[in-house]
Amino acid sequence: RVKQGFITFDHVSFIYPGTTKSVLSNVRFSVNPGERLAVIGSTGSGKTSLFQLIPRLYDATEGEIRIDHRPTTDYTLDNLRRSIGYVPQSPLLFTGTVAENIAWGKEHASTKEIIHAAKDAQIHDAIMELDNQYQTKVGQKGVNLSGGQKQRISIARALIRNPKILMLDDSTSALDLTTESKLLHAMESYECTTLLITQKISTAMRADRILLIDEGKVLAIGTHEELLHSSSLYQRIVTS
Ligand code: GTP
Ligand code: MG
C-alpha cells in the first residue's frame, strides 16, 4: 500500500496577485495516498488554478495546502517540486533532444529509464518513427511535434521521476480512446497519488473519486455513482 502523497486543501481561497476576482473559494478536500482523483468542471471554473497551488506556482491567498500533513510552505520549493510530477495543460519542450526533454529534472537518467517512461507514456512508437529517434532535436529549433505528442513527452518527463504526486492537466485530451486507455493502465503501476483534470466523463469514471468544481467552489467529491445521486450539475454533465 502507498503511504505517501496525502494531500489536503484546508479552506483554500485564491485570487491572482494584482487582481480582485476570487478564483477559488473555501476549497476543502483531501486525497488519499495512492488515490486517483479526477477533477472536472467547466472552462474557467478554476481547475488549472487549483493545480498550480500544489507545487506553489502561486500561493493560496487564504487557507493551507498540506502534503503528508505538512504545509507546502514548510518544504523547500526544490523538495516540494521534486516530489510532484506536474504535466501542464500546454507543456513546453525546450530546444534539445527528445531524450533530454524526457530526462529533464532527473539527474543521471539512463537510456533504459528514458525508454521505459516513454513506453508508459505511449510515446515510444512515435519517437522511433522520427529521423533520429531519441536523438531528434525538438523545441523551438527542432522538429514540429503535435500537441498530443508534446503532452506525452511531458508525461514521460513526469513519470521518469517516479513522483509521489502525479498531476495531469487535461493531458489526455488529444489522445484516442485506445491510447488513453493504455496510458491510464500503465500509470497504475506507479505508486503515486494521481490528480487528473479531464473534460471526459469516461476518463473521470476510471478514477477512484471525482472532484466537481464550479466557479471556484467544490460542488461535490465522490465516486461516479455518488455524484450521480448527489449532484444535479454532475447529472447534467453526464447526460449532455
Ligand atoms: P479550462 O482550462 O479552460 O478548462 O479552465 P480552468 O478550469 O482550468 O480555469 P483556470 O483555473 O485556468 O481559470 C480560472 C479563472 O482564473 C478564470 O476566470 C481565468 O480567467 C482566471 N485566470 C487563469 N489564469 C490566470 C492568470 O494567469 N492570471 C489571472 N489574473 N487570471 C487567471
Ligand atoms: Mg485549465
Side-chain angles (χ1 to χ4, degrees):
R1 273 257 59 108
V2 183
K3 293 208 176 69
Q4 289 196 321
F6 185 78
I7 307 168
T8 305
F9 272 66
D10 188 356
H11 299 278
V12 170
S13 297
F14 178 57
I15 301 171
Y16 278 96
T19 70
T20 53
K21 186 179 168 241
S22 187
V23 169
L24 297 171
S25 312
N26 210 19
V27 169
R28 276 191 71 200
F29 67 92
S30 289
V31 195
N32 293 315
E35 188 176 12
R36 188 185 288 191
L37 182 79
V39 178
I40 63 168
S42 54
T43 177
S45 57
K47 304 180 298 294
T48 296
S49 304
L50 182 149
F51 263 33
Q52 287 179 330
L53 299 182
I54 297 173
R56 289 187 64 202
L57 300 176
Y58 290 96
D59 274 324
T61 313
E62 280 176 65
E64 191 171 79
I65 299 164
R66 291 186 290 272
I67 294 177
D68 295 326
H69 311 284
R70 249 176 93 193
T72 50
T73 48
D74 272 15
Y75 294 82
T76 63
L77 271 186
D78 210 42
N79 276 340
L80 179 68
R81 291 178 186 167
R82 217 195 298 273
S83 63
I84 298 171
Y86 180 22
V87 184
Q89 199 161 6
S90 311
L92 290 175
L93 301 185
F94 56 82
T95 302
T97 65
V98 169
E100 285 163 353
N101 268 275
I102 293 174
W104 184 74
K106 181 178 164 95
E107 286 141 44
H108 317 298
S110 68
T111 303
K112 199 175 150 207
E113 288 172 314
I114 291 169
I115 292 172
H116 186 79
K119 282 187 175 164
D120 282 346
Q122 310 302 316
I123 187 66
H124 174 73
D125 292 349
I127 294 170
M128 294 309 281
E129 282 172 20
L130 299 172
D131 280 347
N132 293 305
Q133 302 178 337
Y134 281 84
Q135 297 312 316
T136 306
K137 287 256 196 292
V138 296
Q140 270 186 342
K141 293 180 184 145
V143 294
N144 274 320
L145 296 175
S146 72
Q149 289 171 331
K150 282 185 206 162
Q151 279 178 332
R152 279 174 285 164
I153 287 180
S154 184
I155 292 170
R157 179 191 285 173
L159 292 178
I160 199 171
R161 292 160 59 217
N162 224 330
K164 188 157 81 171
I165 297 168
L166 179 64
M167 300 171 51
L168 308 176
D169 190 345
D170 222 4
S171 308
T172 64
S173 55
L175 304 187
D176 62 79
L177 287 178
T178 313
T179 310
E180 183 191 43
S181 194
K182 283 187 194 160
L183 170 68
L184 294 175
H185 182 72
M187 274 166 34
E188 277 166 20
S189 64
Y190 290 78
E191 292 202 327
C192 57
T193 304
T194 306
L195 305 182
L196 88 165
I197 293 173
T198 178
Q199 311 283 348
K200 287 181 276 188
I201 288 290
S202 59
T203 309
M205 280 175 67
R206 296 187 55 150
D208 298 310
R209 286 191 300 160
I210 299 165
L211 177 80
L212 173 61
I213 78 167
D214 190 46
E215 295 183 1
K217 295 187 181 71
V218 172
L219 284 196
I221 184 168
T223 63
H224 171 72
E225 294 295 326
E226 286 166 355
L227 264 52
L228 271 183
H229 287 101
S230 66
S231 166
S232 52
L233 176 61
Y234 189 74
Q235 285 166 14
R236 262 180 282 141
I237 296 170
V238 169
T239 52
S240 67

